[in-house]
Amino acid sequence: MKIRYLFSLSIACISLFAVPAIAVEDIVVSYKAEGSPRANLSNMKIDLRIAEFTDGRSVDNPRLITDAMLLGADGGFQAEKALSEIIREAMKEGFANANAKLVETGGDMYLQGNLLSTEAQIIDRAGVETIQLTLRTSVQLMSGSRTIWQTTLFGRGRTAASEGMAVTVRAALTRLINELIGDDYFLAEIR
């Protein structure tokens, strides 16, 4: 009995030392909406609140962007805060950049969302090693408890690998916002 216990303990210790530590690389996204917006929302007929964005992915770490082994980051990449919160703040930035009538509380309508998935990979674009990140997010325009409009957005960012993951995340967020602000059906509900 004692020999079996010592053998099991020895195997457990060897297993701990044989498995390499996988570290997730920390990045700071720090999204700021820049450039000309896809639409001018200054003539909105409603006051809009950007409500909570949740994380519907099956991950333990809400800060995780991807666990793919890219660019030498064995454990993937994680942001400075929850990715769903970064998306919410980016939406606020994007709508403010488009001159939307935003409010912090109340409002005629509100926009809420749920991050469904993230997918990152390295691709070759004309001989350039490129990071491609896709954020799939469900969004709903709400009035009280009633859903006015909803869709699933795909924000795909592509940047040269030399620019790093943070730049790719910002590109994916810009694409996500532009997909929403450029949607004619969405615009019909808020204008």
Side-chain angles (χ1 to χ4, degrees), residues 148-174:
I148 304 298
W149 174 89
Q150 66 182 8
T151 195
T152 299
L153 303 171
F154 292 85
R156 178 167 289 154
R158 291 185 190 114
T159 60
S162 60
E163 295 183 34
M165 181 59 83
V167 174
T168 307
V169 174
R170 289 192 289 270
L173 290 168
T174 297

Side-chain angles (χ1 to χ4, degrees), residues 2-111:
K2 199 174 207 181
I3 293 174
R4 214 181 284 169
Y5 172 74
L6 289 174
F7 180 74
S8 297
L9 185 60
S10 298
I11 296 296
C13 288
I14 290 169
S15 298
L16 285 175
F17 292 112
V19 176
I22 297 177
V24 177
E25 186 173 323
D26 289 308
I27 63 165
V28 177
V29 175
S30 189
Y31 182 82
K32 298 289 179 214
E34 298 173 343
S36 298
R38 189 157 179 199
N40 182 354
L41 303 179
S42 60
N43 60 350
M44 284 174 53
K45 63 183 177 184
I46 62 157
D47 290 330
L48 181 67
R49 177 171 51 95
I50 308 298
E52 180 182 16
F53 274 64
T54 56
D55 192 336
R57 301 174 297 164
S58 298
V59 296
D60 295 329
N61 179 0
R63 296 171 47 203
L64 189 69
I65 297 165
T66 180
D67 59 2
M69 293 184 221
L70 305 172
L71 307 175
D74 292 336
F77 295 88
Q78 69 182 6
E80 69 272 19
K81 57 183 144 189
L83 193 53
S84 59
E85 181 60 24
I86 290 173
I87 293 171
R88 178 182 181 269
E89 289 174 2
M91 286 289 178
K92 288 173 74 172
E93 278 275 327
F95 275 86
N97 188 48
N99 301 310
K101 297 176 186 175
L102 295 178
V103 294
E104 288 296 320
T105 58
D108 302 312
M109 293 183 189
Y110 63 94
L111 184 72

